[in-house]
Amino acid sequence: MRLDDTIVAAAARGVPGGRTMIRLSGLDAIAVVHPMLATAPSRTRHIGVQRLVLSGAHLPCVCAYFPAPASYTGEDVVELQLPTNATLVERVLAQLTQHDGVRLAGPGEFTARAFLHDKLDAEQAEGVAAMIAARTANEHAAARDLLDGCTGAHYRTLLDEAIELLALVEAGIDFSDQEDVVAISPQNLSLRLEVLISTLDALLIGTSGREAPSERLRAVLVGPPNAGKSTLFNALLGRERAVVSDVAGTTRDALVEPLPLDGLASGWFDVGIDLVDLAGLGDASSALDRAAQQLAREHVVRASIVIQCDPAGQFDQHLPIVRDETVTLRVRTKADLPNDSGAEPMMAVCALDGWHLEALRKAIVDAAATASGIISPDGVPLPARHARALAAAREALNCALLSTPGQGENMLHMQDAAITAHWLRNAVDALGEIAGRISPDDVLGRIFATFCIGK
């Protein structure tokens, strides 16, 4: 993601007669706004009433300036509050984006910049999206926990326990030649593993125990002709199923095949997902083209997941109306080709060499979980990324427990300890996805913090 330019968007569009906010973030945020204001904005005055000069007319507005790094994104941010009028807002956006280095923001890009500038962690960024989507008091409270960092703090507590158990087991391996050094007994290890597993089970209630959807979910590949949909279809399936050609309009029918999940959904989301390759949407020059595109639109309307494909990363094609519960993934295909559009797609992939295909598969599974309404114990949506990581950690911890000797043993034997450590590392890696990455130094430091080697 580029950080050397300035982004702008209508951050909030009010009702007619209300106010609309236009937000800019980046190095040139104040420089491009300056010529449009009747009075030069001051870097020391953070908010004030201004007059916006547009085609010779002076319009009232409120201008707020937040200098870096004390802003939401960590960059210079300017916010303009204007009377709500669609034409006015579009004219202001058009005038701002005429400047070099200023472009329209991509989806979630302000929050992405906040994350990249260490203003938010991943869980807090997810909390922003959850807060926007919240419809009930419980959903609002869960989103607030994400945004405040409470959820991440809870995950880090679980991660700390897993790291400590790994450190103690590895200490037992490293000092197995010293008979008086017992880092942790099998009984204590088993007890702590059981407690950790029970905690994860409580978090995962509502995922593995939910009622499964009545039918397989469908993920459809949508985009203009020659957008690389069929090539991506074959790559995701792992075999040549669709005919690929440089000639536009090769795909006429809807090709439906089960999407191989390769263990991505094991243990928390096991409903099948069908991947659908559709005819490209665009100008129809014949009755056959019109029939193929009508069939494609019908599949889009019924889909649980829409994968919008665009080699240029513009995503300006009008899509058929979809259901409220449908999840849309925006994918820039043909990422091996140069792209100077400046647009910021949700994901860029190359089906020819497999670049980012695994990330796309995970995103499809996460989208399927969202479309299915996976819920957490308090009845609010559990972020699918969290559910997958928690379930993987739970499975690894259970394997670690099964490899631990029974009650009759007072120490871990070398072979058992090595197997247990392997599964504990897997659990730490899984929890690290949602609680922060862990380095070998973290494990080494925990050995000396919790176990006195001391001889």
Side-chain angles (χ1 to χ4, degrees):
M1 177 177 291
R2 293 174 57 187
L3 296 176
D4 58 348
D5 54 5
T6 297
I7 55 175
V8 59
R13 295 180 183 267
V15 296
R19 311 290 289 179
T20 290
M21 183 174 72
I22 293 178
R23 175 182 292 158
L24 300 93
S25 178
L27 293 173
D28 299 325
I30 196 165
V32 298
V33 171
H34 184 177
M36 298 177 64
L37 299 177
T39 304
S42 170
R43 287 180 175 268
T44 59
R45 190 175 65 182
H46 290 193
I47 187 168
V49 178
Q50 279 276 4
R51 287 174 297 157
L52 184 70
V53 182
L54 194 64
S55 300
H58 287 214
L59 301 171
C61 75
V62 175
C63 178
Y65 169 61
F66 306 92
S71 70
Y72 177 71
T73 63
E75 304 173 327
D76 284 350
V77 170
V78 177
E79 293 179 353
L80 299 173
Q81 293 187 25
L82 308 169
T84 295
N85 179 284
T87 302
L88 171 63
V89 171
E90 294 304 323
R91 287 177 63 190
V92 173
L93 291 175
Q95 187 160 329
L96 289 170
T97 52
Q98 286 178 354
H99 295 266
D100 291 338
V102 181
R103 60 175 174 80
L104 293 175
E109 193 171 356
F110 287 96
T111 301
R113 290 194 175 200
F115 171 74
L116 293 172
H117 287 112
D118 295 324
K119 290 292 182 176
L120 300 172
D121 60 24
E123 283 67 46
Q124 289 173 311
E126 288 171 323
V128 173
M131 185 68 71
I132 295 170
R135 297 181 180 180
T136 67
N138 280 346
E139 290 179 0
H140 186 276
R144 174 57 62 186
D145 284 345
L146 276 171
L147 193 54
D148 290 344
C150 297
T151 302
H154 184 41
Y155 291 157
R156 281 186 286 275
T157 299
L158 300 177
L159 178 60
D160 283 344
E161 175 68 358
I163 294 173
E164 185 167 315
L165 293 179
L166 174 59
L168 292 171
V169 171
E170 290 193 335
I173 296 174
D174 293 339
F175 296 91
S176 59
D177 58 332
Q178 301 183 38
E179 295 182 358
D180 57 340
V181 174
V182 179
I184 187 169
S185 68
Q187 292 84 0
N188 191 18
L189 176 60
S190 296
L191 178 61
R192 292 174 68 172
L193 284 171
E194 288 171 356
V195 171
L196 195 50
I197 290 171
S198 297
T199 304
L200 292 176
D201 283 340
L203 288 172
L204 288 166
I205 289 174
T207 56
S208 59
R210 76 197 185 289
E211 182 179 354
S214 58
E215 58 184 16
R216 294 172 63 88
L217 302 180
R218 288 204 167 188
V220 299
L221 296 165
V222 184
N226 266 357
K229 300 184 299 298
S230 295
T231 303
L232 181 59
F233 180 72
N234 289 339
L236 289 171
L237 294 181
R239 59 189 177 90
E240 298 297 320
R241 172 64 177 88
V243 175
V244 176
S245 171
D246 292 334
V247 179
T250 301
T251 302
R252 299 287 189 182
D253 204 351
L255 303 181
V256 183
E257 291 290 340
L259 176 67
L261 299 180
D262 299 327
L264 288 176
S266 176
W268 68 280
F269 180 78
D270 50 10
V271 67
I273 303 174
D274 287 330
L275 189 64
V276 187
D277 185 25
L278 300 173
L281 299 178
D283 295 333
S285 58
S286 67
L288 186 58
D289 287 337
R290 289 192 292 272
Q293 293 192 25
Q294 179 59 31
L295 177 62
R297 292 188 182 93
E298 292 173 0
H299 275 274
V300 172
V301 171
R302 299 196 304 268
S304 302
I305 306 156
V306 171
I307 305 171
Q308 187 179 4
C309 302
D310 187 345
Q314 297 286 2
F315 305 105
D316 52 4
Q317 185 183 44
H318 178 71
L319 292 179
I321 297 175
V322 298
R323 298 173 298 172
D324 289 342
E325 60 270 27
T326 300
V327 180
T328 300
L329 301 176
R330 306 204 306 177
V331 178
R332 181 196 159 207
T333 52
K334 304 183 182 180
D336 55 317
L337 300 180
N339 178 38
D340 298 325
S341 68
E344 296 292 341
M346 177 180 291
M347 186 177 301
V349 302
C350 179
L352 297 180
D353 60 9
W355 188 67
H356 278 185
L357 281 187
E358 190 63 20
L360 177 57
R361 287 192 183 94
K362 290 182 179 180
I364 294 172
V365 172
D366 288 351
T370 300
S372 298
I374 282 184
I375 59 173
S376 62
D378 50 6
V380 299
L382 180 67
R385 183 177 71 93
H386 298 197
R388 185 179 65 240
L390 292 172
R394 196 261 180 224
E395 184 176 350
L397 290 171
N398 190 58
C399 290
L401 179 61
L402 293 175
S403 67
T404 303
Q407 294 293 325
E409 300 286 345
N410 13 358
M411 66 178 298
L412 289 170
H413 297 293
M414 180 71 75
Q415 184 175 359
D416 293 332
I419 296 173
T420 302
H422 165 76
W423 290 115
L424 282 170
R425 285 190 204 98
N426 287 354
V428 166
D429 288 343
L431 289 172
E433 289 187 14
I434 55 176
R437 291 294 179 184
I438 300 302
S439 71
D441 287 342
D442 292 318
V443 178
L444 185 62
R446 190 59 59 90
I447 293 177
F448 296 101
T450 62
F451 172 61
C452 182
I453 304 300
K455 289 181 65 178

